[in-house]
Amino acid sequence: MKLLRLISDTIVRGPLYAIANYRIHTSAPLDPTENWQFWTKPKSSLLEWIARSYPPAAVRSTYIDAMLEREHSQGIEAHYDVSNDFYALFLNHKYRFYTCAEFHHDTETIETAQTHKAEYLLSLLNLQGDEKILDLGCGWGAMLKFLQDHGHRGELTGFTLSREQQIYAHQELNLNVALSNFITENFEGAPYDRVISIGALEHVRPKEIEQMYQKIYDALVPGGLAVHQFFSLTREVCPTSVVMLQLFFPGSMLVMHHVHLDAAQRVGFEISHDSLHDYRPTLRAWYERLVANKSRALELVNLETFNRYMTFFPISWLFFQQHDADLHRIVMRKPV
Ligand SMILES: C[S@@+](CC[C@H](N)C(=O)[O-])C[C@H]1O[C@@H](n2cnc3c(N)ncnc32)[C@H](O)[C@@H]1O
């Protein structure tokens, strides 16, 4: 059965996807050192070439097109509604950010690095203290809670597609978080002074991008700011690595960075900031935390889920190491 899946995955989705899927379904927890090295250590140029070229571009885009026919929200729920306690094992404790942190040096903890990231985003938001803020894809409410803890008095709202996240944000943090799809549903409560998104625009499919920026633009007051952190493709429209990412986010597809900027500018935004940041230390930190909490993790989730995250972090690290994608922080301003 496993061998048949390996063969069919190799033919249809390429060797990277097939090997990742095979390893996820092994009958024991993946060995931490072997597994990290397996994905991240440099390969021979022949292997690199095969990994980057197969499946051929036309097959890749046909496969991705078929994946994009699926209901997007199901892929999101499948990834996030695993177990809040499981995520707590590897995310930073105070705010539970599941997005790229800001490491100033190697010895910093994920807690400190996530605080640096939140402070950076706070500086981009340029707040007086009473602005009404909407967080698109707010996760476990990390940024909203950070704002509250830093004295923000204005109304705070978050949207997520994950029921588990909404329950946590309500029950543990007493935040106003709605189960609302920011792509397909109206932005209840508009207008807003600020719209923020951290690690959510990656889930917006190519054909929905311009319409989403239009909604953000319409939801902002004149002079309002949208601050986004997300990663986008750098070199190729559909690299083989995005086929492999379907294992973790079925039905999501990244776009080239300029697609975001062009769409935002077409709807009227002025881009006043665009900075690059390194996702790799965060992925490595999550991996180390998951490994350190392996026994508890295996009590909370099944073996396949544990191995899926053990595979997701090094593969994502490789994705950034190979420069298939870059992480950006962007400020967009709606003119007065
Ligand atoms: C990687 S998590 C980031 C969470 C949070 N911003 C943080 O920094 O930890 C992505 C979030 O986007 C949400 N999301 C993705 N697509 C969405 C959509 N169409 N509507 C609402 N939320 C969405 C997910 O539910 C999840 O909360």
Side-chain angles (χ1 to χ4, degrees):
M1 182 63 190
K2 278 193 207 159
L3 194 63
L4 273 182
R5 185 169 50 212
L6 180 70
I7 295 166
S8 75
D9 277 351
T10 307
I11 295 166
V12 181
R13 295 166 183 132
L16 284 180
Y17 183 107
I19 293 167
N21 206 16
Y22 183 81
R23 289 172 64 90
I24 287 169
H25 289 91
T26 51
S27 48
L30 290 163
D31 176 78
T33 309
E34 181 278 335
N35 183 55
W36 186 267
Q37 284 180 356
F38 180 85
W39 288 110
T40 61
K41 78 170 191 278
K43 310 278 184 307
S44 75
S45 37
L46 176 65
L47 280 179
E48 291 285 353
W49 180 82
I50 294 171
R52 296 203 74 81
S53 324
Y54 196 84
V59 178
R60 265 178 255 160
S61 49
T62 309
Y63 169 66
I64 295 288
D65 286 349
M67 290 300 287
L68 295 184
E69 293 299 313
R70 297 162 58 131
E71 178 50 54
H72 151 90
S73 55
Q74 282 171 8
I76 304 290
E77 284 164 7
H79 189 95
Y80 296 105
D81 285 348
V82 175
S83 149
N84 280 344
D85 291 342
F86 171 69
Y87 274 100
L89 295 179
F90 56 87
L91 299 184
N92 58 314
H93 299 143
K94 191 161 179 199
Y95 292 112
R96 289 204 193 175
F97 275 108
Y98 188 37
T99 39
C100 174
E102 183 79 32
F103 282 82
H104 290 176
H105 51 80
D106 291 351
T107 53
E108 227 160 51
T109 64
I110 186 80
E111 268 74 27
T112 308
Q114 288 293 13
T115 302
H116 290 323
K117 176 270 284 297
E119 284 165 350
Y120 191 108
L121 292 170
L122 187 60
S123 73
L124 295 181
L125 282 164
N126 192 22
L127 298 171
Q128 302 304 311
D130 53 2
E131 290 84 352
K132 192 171 152 188
I133 304 180
L134 172 64
D135 185 349
L136 303 176
C138 65
W140 288 268
M143 192 64 199
L144 298 177
K145 178 79 175 109
F146 182 87
L147 285 163
Q148 262 186 358
D149 288 354
H150 286 73
H152 193 76
R153 303 174 303 277
E155 194 181 306
L156 301 171
T157 304
F159 292 165
T160 178
L161 280 181
S162 156
R163 196 167 291 279
E164 291 262 328
Q165 292 177 339
Q166 188 207 26
I167 291 170
Y168 177 86
H170 271 170
Q171 291 182 352
E172 304 293 324
L173 306 179
N174 200 20
L175 290 170
N176 175 28
V177 168
L179 267 188
S180 174
N181 187 327
F182 68 76
I183 301 168
T184 57
E185 293 175 46
N186 290 331
F187 291 1
E188 287 294 323
Y192 290 92
D193 300 301
R194 302 285 184 270
V195 172
I196 186 163
S197 77
I198 317 170
L201 301 195
E202 291 88 340
H203 296 300
V204 184
R205 303 148 190 239
K207 64 173 191 238
E208 298 158 339
I209 286 193
E210 184 155 340
Q211 158 207 331
M212 177 209 59
Y213 280 117
Q214 185 70 61
K215 279 172 68 169
I216 297 174
Y217 189 88
D218 293 344
L220 277 169
V221 299
L225 298 180
V227 173
H228 305 294
Q229 167 173 313
F230 60 91
F231 53 87
S232 42
L233 297 173
T234 50
R235 298 187 303 195
E236 257 187 274
V237 176
C238 189
T240 48
S241 46
V242 300
V243 174
M244 186 162 55
L245 287 178
Q246 295 299 313
L247 268 172
F248 310 104
F249 289 110
S252 288
M253 175 60 192
L254 297 169
V255 294
M256 300 287 286
H257 190 59
H258 71 83
V259 173
H260 279 278
L261 299 188
D262 294 349
Q265 284 167 324
R266 267 199 304 276
V267 306
F269 276 119
E270 292 163 356
I271 314 281
S272 59
H273 174 100
D274 185 352
S275 52
L276 284 174
H277 303 266
D278 188 357
Y279 214 136
R280 292 169 303 170
T282 307
L283 293 160
R284 178 70 203 177
W286 288 337
Y287 188 78
E288 283 170 5
R289 282 250 166 121
L290 179 57
V291 167
N293 289 292
K294 175 177 150 185
S295 311
R296 180 69 185 133
L298 285 165
E299 287 167 10
L300 293 169
V301 297
N302 63 25
L303 177 61
E304 183 196 318
T305 304
F306 175 77
N307 280 342
R308 187 174 295 278
Y309 282 77
M310 288 288 285
T311 307
F312 177 51
F313 296 141
I315 280 180
S316 304
W317 187 95
L318 185 66
F319 189 52
F320 291 101
Q321 172 74 4
Q322 291 180 333
H323 205 51
D324 276 339
D326 272 337
L327 189 289
H328 293 254
R329 294 190 189 135
I330 300 193
V331 180
M332 300 175 177
R333 183 173 175 275
K334 176 170 175 170
V336 176

